[in-house]
Amino acid sequence: MRRAVCPGSFDPVTHGHLDVIGRAAGLFDEVVVAVGVNPSKRSRLFSADERLDMLRQACSTWDNVRVSAFTGLLTDFCRAEGIAAIVKGLRAVSDFDYELQMAQMNASLTDVETVFMPTSPEWSFLASSLVKEIAQFGGDVSGLVPDFVHEALVRRFEESDTAE
Ligand code: PNS
């Protein structure tokens, strides 16, 4: 069985992530979408459980995709899960430097391969950080994320407005 991982923070999942996950699901027997949980990083908009729930809902159409969380090193997760390849989406050349460095560092730690997948052009500008910023100021991100993610964003920023 050829198993790959699509790792990320997914705060929150966007159509850009789902584009890469769906295409990876067509290439590998199984794809594990792995949410990196870093307990010291408190600046997330959505909790790990919320991000996992949203991903499970978004990925439910693919039979060979499962959603999981990991802490610590991605290479340790890959070893424990029998994962042969890390799939990373590349939006633009600007993504390449950092992703190459991580791929080479991960390759030095274990024999896992990194596979770069060019993001489909329609999503090449898309980033979770921008989605959050636009949603925070009332901009329309409905075309950039699944509907239930859009609703969760609206709710989250309404909650923070009433808390101030
Ligand atoms: O969506 P992101 O924030 O770009 O995801 C980054 C992630 C979680 C894939 C990356 O930070 C990661 O792999 N973290 C796990 C810790 C690790 O293995 N660090 C060494 C990288 S060379």
Side-chain angles (χ1 to χ4, degrees):
M1 149 118 35
R2 279 278 161 206
R3 189 175 287 137
V5 64
C6 289
S9 310
F10 303 105
D11 187 38
V13 61
T14 69
H15 283 319
H17 295 127
L18 296 171
D19 166 53
V20 171
I21 293 166
R23 287 160 59 209
L27 293 175
F28 290 91
D29 298 318
E30 185 179 50
V31 171
V32 182
V33 179
V35 177
V37 179
N38 179 350
S40 65
K41 196 150 182 184
R42 302 244 174 263
S43 62
R44 301 290 183 208
L45 181 63
F46 293 104
S47 70
D49 283 344
E50 289 172 322
R51 287 180 274 149
L52 285 162
D53 283 348
M54 286 190 270
L55 274 167
R56 288 201 175 100
Q57 199 171 333
C59 295
S60 61
T61 50
W62 295 298
D63 290 341
N64 62 336
V65 175
R66 70 182 158 89
V67 176
S68 186
F70 74 100
T71 53
L73 289 180
L74 179 59
T75 48
D76 287 341
F77 178 78
C78 291
R79 201 178 290 120
E81 296 276 332
I83 287 167
I86 299 168
V87 177
K88 288 291 194 81
L90 290 185
R91 289 165 295 196
V93 174
S94 50
D95 282 342
F96 183 72
D97 280 351
Y98 184 52
E99 291 297 343
L100 179 67
Q101 188 183 17
M102 279 204 287
Q104 291 173 334
M105 182 62 85
N106 284 331
S108 79
L109 296 172
T110 180
D111 56 1
V112 70
E113 293 284 357
T114 294
V115 177
F116 291 137
M117 186 176 278
T119 303
S120 296
E122 70 218 271
W123 308 122
S124 63
F125 60 92
L126 190 46
S128 295
S129 54
L130 288 179
V131 164
K132 285 184 282 192
E133 187 169 318
I134 292 161
Q136 179 176 12
F137 296 114
D140 182 9
V141 294
S142 58
L144 308 177
V145 294
D147 288 347
F148 56 89
V149 174
H150 178 230
E151 286 156 22
L153 280 163
V154 170
R155 268 199 311 277
R156 184 55 42 96
F157 287 119
E158 276 172 2
E159 285 162 13
S160 59
D161 279 352
T162 50
E164 277 171 13

